[in-house]
Amino acid sequence: MNYRQLSKEELKEVLAQEKKRYQELVEKNLSYDMTRGKPGSNQLDLSNDLLGEKYIGNAKAASGTECRNYGVLDGIPEIKKLMADMMGTKPENVIVGGNSSLNMMFDTLMRFMVFGTSADSTPWGKLDKVKFICPVPGYDRHFLICEKLGIEMIPVELQEDGPDMEKVLELVKDPAVKGMWSIPKYSNPSGVVYSDEKICQLASMECAAPDFTIMWDDAYTVHYLGDAPAKQKNLIEACAEAGNPNRAYVFGSTSKITFPGSGIAVLASSVENIKYSLSYITAQTIGNDKLNQLRHANFLKDYDGIVAHMEKHAEILRPKFNAVLEVLEEELGGLGILEWTKPQGGYFVSINTLDGCATKVVAMANACGVKFTPAGATFPYRKDPRDRNIRIAPTLPPLEELYEAIRVLCVCIKICSAEKLLEA
Ligand SMILES: Cc1ncc(COP(=O)(O)O)c(C=O)c1O
């Protein structure tokens, strides 16, 4: 049955049935929260060994540095090596920060606004207009940073292998377009993995702004659900090869490897950019949490150690993602009213309803006790022009809740779609 091929009478019948199901669900007084991509408690348990003394030992780094005391602005050598390996770069290309990569992104753009991207560039805050390319759907906090800093956002469609490059190449001819956001692997929310071809295009494209910067948020670089993390061309390398060595600012963290809020964040870039960034970071802090750096380095050990740890996460997450896909297929497969992603990694399933339905679907699910990320959150200024994208975050709820929550979502989608088609 395809809803679009049903007569008005048949649609009315479907609508009545689904409304009855909805009422039954309301009477269950459900209370589920699917709003944010947080790890479940059994995922957090995987890193509980970090909590004791086991991985701190005598609190000395391999170099002999006393980790209980001040110092070492960019991270102890073993954590720099580990984070560089995770980000596919070299220790001299990284600054290990505090607990949050988002914080490092905000700080980076603040530096650009106040001081410029290099000693001889104009601070962006002194310019009439600064614009950023924002592949959509995307991450709400990226958009919020731009909004807070007064950076005008230009949405560009995120296709299956990366942003619509035709559009990007046109936009970068404008000198006010100073940069773009990207989540290159298992993108939030659509799970897209950028192709090497598009990565090389982004690295080599001619930009009117000499200080054009790619904010490359590789938050899910090792967060695979298939057999292994997807291999991908390294942007820092690609930019260097293309003669634009300072274009890439890459970010990552162990937030969804160990503990969100108590992990380790990293910024990676050219050696020149690293030096420039540190010249300001030295005014902000004497050093980050080296005890946390030491225990993370000892606990995760090396790149293979990270991947082995991520496999344990994947074992917990695969059934949850499969549950979402199973219910969507069972309820909505072939109905012609919903598109959804089948991600190979990351934290989300992204769905597109019929145009004009997403806000209503989320509101109906909410009224039934199931909270989803607000519709529009995946777009700049919270405005999804087609009002159709919803982000599903399957990681936090237990499996039984997840089945029920997605069932509620499906019933709401059927009701809103039938109503929409009846209006036409
Ligand atoms: C794309 C993306 N970047 C960054 C973050 C936050 O990272 P951190 O905990 O390192 O600040 C998230 C968290 O949801 C995310 O989805």
Side-chain angles (χ1 to χ4, degrees):
M1 169 174 59
N2 184 323
Y3 271 32
R4 292 161 191 267
Q5 287 158 5
L6 297 181
S7 66
K8 294 238 160 176
E9 283 319 303
E10 286 167 325
L11 270 175
K12 278 183 192 157
E13 209 171 294
V14 164
L15 186 57
Q17 272 167 19
E18 295 303 327
K19 280 192 165 167
K20 187 161 167 277
R21 280 181 78 196
Y22 180 76
Q23 206 43 48
E24 285 162 12
L25 288 164
V26 168
E27 280 157 22
K28 285 185 158 187
N29 288 321
L30 303 174
S31 177
Y32 300 150
D33 188 348
M34 305 267 305
T35 52
R36 293 223 75 92
K38 291 183 185 175
S41 59
N42 49 352
Q43 288 181 267
L44 300 176
D45 288 344
L46 297 173
S47 301
N48 276 351
D49 278 352
L50 278 174
L51 299 173
E53 289 177 17
K54 183 171 171 192
Y55 290 106
I56 295 232
N58 63 1
K60 295 243 170 47
S63 58
T65 296
E66 168 60 84
C67 292
R68 295 173 302 175
N69 218 329
Y70 271 143
V72 194
L73 187 59
D74 55 348
I76 56 174
E78 48 267 65
I79 197 74
K80 280 185 73 177
K81 166 87 172 69
L82 180 73
M83 299 306 272
D85 285 352
M86 182 172 94
M87 306 313 287
T89 188
K90 300 191 204 78
E92 61 263 35
N93 293 98
V94 306
I95 298 170
V96 172
N99 69 320
S100 159
S101 60
L102 186 65
N103 187 205
M104 295 185 100
M105 295 174 224
F106 185 88
D107 254 0
T108 299
L109 288 180
M110 274 300 275
R111 269 196 302 281
F112 294 174
M113 293 300 286
V114 179
F115 306 111
T117 58
S118 64
D120 55 4
S121 74
T122 308
W124 292 359
K126 293 222 162 108
L127 303 172
D128 287 343
K129 196 144 253 4
V130 175
K131 302 181 198 170
F132 245 61
I133 299 169
C134 299
V136 289
Y139 178 40
D140 54 352
R141 298 292 173 100
H142 290 164
F143 304 151
L144 191 58
I145 293 177
C146 281
E147 216 176 324
K148 295 284 181 197
L149 298 183
I151 296 174
E152 186 182 312
M153 292 175 271
I154 310 167
V156 163
E157 186 201 351
L158 185 60
Q159 299 168 334
E160 270 178 23
D161 58 348
D164 176 349
M165 286 307 298
E166 216 172 293
K167 194 83 196 286
V168 170
L169 293 174
E170 196 52 44
L171 287 167
V172 295
K173 290 180 187 160
D174 175 358
V177 173
K178 290 289 193 185
M180 77 181 283
W181 288 107
S182 282
I183 309 168
K185 210 193 278 185
Y186 312 132
S187 185
N188 174 355
S190 45
V192 163
V193 177
Y194 283 29
S195 67
D196 288 352
E197 193 188 335
K198 286 200 170 172
I199 292 173
C200 290
Q201 254 183 313
L202 290 168
S204 62
M205 66 192 179
E206 215 171 290
C207 302
D211 50 356
F212 183 89
T213 297
I214 303 175
M215 296 288 284
W216 197 249
D217 182 359
D218 209 359
Y220 299 104
T221 191
V222 289
H223 303 57
Y224 68 98
L225 292 167
D227 298 330
K231 294 231 181 312
Q232 198 169 47
K233 176 82 187 161
N234 184 279
L235 183 73
I236 299 172
E237 227 171 71
C239 286
E241 285 164 12
N244 298 309
N246 296 329
R247 181 174 288 182
Y249 271 79
V250 177
F251 302 87
S253 77
T254 70
S255 286
K256 286 160 185 167
I257 298 174
T258 57
F259 300 136
S262 307
I264 301 286
V266 62
L267 176 168
S269 192
S270 66
V271 170
E272 196 179 331
N273 282 345
I274 292 295
K275 241 195 211 163
Y276 177 72
S277 305
L278 285 173
S279 75
Y280 289 100
I281 294 172
T282 192
Q284 287 183 294
T285 178
I286 300 163
N288 287 298
D289 183 346
K290 290 189 297 302
L291 291 172
N292 204 27
Q293 295 176 3
L294 182 64
R295 68 181 146 223
H296 271 79
N298 289 338
F299 175 64
L300 294 168
K301 292 189 180 71
D302 52 21
Y303 183 77
D304 288 345
I306 293 180
V307 174
H309 190 72
M310 293 315 291
E311 175 55 31
K312 294 182 197 156
H313 281 284
E315 280 164 17
I316 294 172
L317 292 180
R318 282 182 198 116
K320 294 193 175 185
F321 277 80
N322 288 341
V324 173
L325 299 178
E326 188 187 312
V327 179
L328 290 177
E329 184 59 44
E330 190 187 308
E331 290 275 352
L332 302 167
L335 298 191
I337 53 175
L338 192 81
E339 293 168 355
W340 61 90
T341 57
K342 293 179 180 154
Q344 293 302 302
Y347 259 59
F348 304 100
V349 174
S350 174
I351 64 172
N352 283 329
T353 63
L354 295 181
D355 286 9
C357 287
T359 305
K360 204 166 156 207
V361 166
V362 171
M364 275 191 84
N366 204 358
C368 193
V370 185
K371 286 202 184 84
F372 286 91
T373 311
T378 51
F379 281 75
Y381 311 107
R382 294 163 292 282
K383 285 199 186 94
D384 173 357
R386 296 175 66 177
D387 187 21
R388 63 172 188 159
N389 187 253
I390 301 172
R391 184 179 85 164
I392 301 177
T395 55
L396 186 64
L399 205 50
E400 323 76 69
E401 282 187 17
L402 194 55
Y403 273 107
E404 203 155 34
I406 302 301
R407 193 80 62 195
V408 168
L409 181 73
C410 290
V411 171
C412 298
I413 291 168
K414 285 178 173 173
I415 292 172
C416 294
S417 305
E419 284 177 347
K420 189 90 202 165
L421 291 168
L422 278 167
E423 271 170 26

